[in-house]
Amino acid sequence: MATIGLDKLYYAPITEDEKGEEAYGTPAQLAKAISADLSVELAEATLYADDGASEIVKEFQSGTLSLGVDDIGGEAASTLTGAVIDDNGVVISAGEDGGQPVAVGFRAKKSNGKYRYFWLYRVKFGIPATNLATKGDSISFSTPTIEGTVLCRNKPDTKGRHPWKAEATEGDKKVGEETIKNWYESVYEPNYAAE
């Protein structure tokens, strides 16, 4: 079903243990969302045998997330890009900056009034783009865009896989109400029935 909206853009800081496995901090609102464009790169290989394709493998390699937002506050800019806030509350960006990866969550409204929820488990952002223009005869808004690379997380789930995205659709028979209700309380962890 088509989506007709986007809101509730959150991020959660990531800390890593000595093995590089992630632990997620408490999610915080990033900004008001204007747009979210996610493109995915796949690693692909084809094995030919007996004069034809015998096996085809397609695996997630990385993705690009481009977020259009109303504003990126100082705290979020510091976490996402590595910028520093000085003693006067001014955000200082330096050539040596490099933010830590974060998890990013948001939801998209569907045409039936329900929502599709997302968590991207590991996103490394670059410096936000800023577009400014002088005010002329009409008013036009200038808003920042920030782009990040989406990666698989280091920490394996209970099946030994390294997820890059979690997605749940409100109203789906298999998605419990508690899952949706608690979506922004913490970064969603895969939950598999014991085998």
Side-chain angles (χ1 to χ4, degrees), residues 19-105:
K19 292 190 235 173
E21 293 184 355
E22 297 90 349
Y24 299 102
T26 303
Q29 189 157 18
L30 173 59
K32 290 183 178 179
I34 295 171
S35 64
D37 296 316
L38 176 63
S39 59
V40 175
E41 279 190 46
L42 299 176
E44 185 175 336
T46 304
L47 173 67
Y48 292 93
D50 287 338
D51 293 333
S54 175
E55 294 183 38
I56 298 174
V57 176
K58 294 184 180 193
E59 293 181 351
F60 175 82
Q61 185 174 1
S62 68
T64 301
L65 177 65
S66 182
L67 295 174
V69 296
D70 70 332
D71 189 25
I72 298 174
E75 187 175 327
S78 178
T79 302
L80 299 182
T81 68
V84 177
I85 301 172
D86 76 4
D87 293 342
N88 294 320
V90 177
V91 178
I92 307 297
S93 298
E96 298 81 9
D97 291 348
Q100 296 299 312
V102 296
V104 176

Side-chain angles (χ1 to χ4, degrees), residues 1 5 41 43 72 87 89 92 114 125-126 129 141-142 149 178 180:
M1 184 171 291
E41 279 190 46
I72 298 174
D87 293 342
I92 307 297
K114 303 283 185 184
F125 283 101
F141 290 101
S142 296
T149 302
E178 286 296 310
I180 297 300

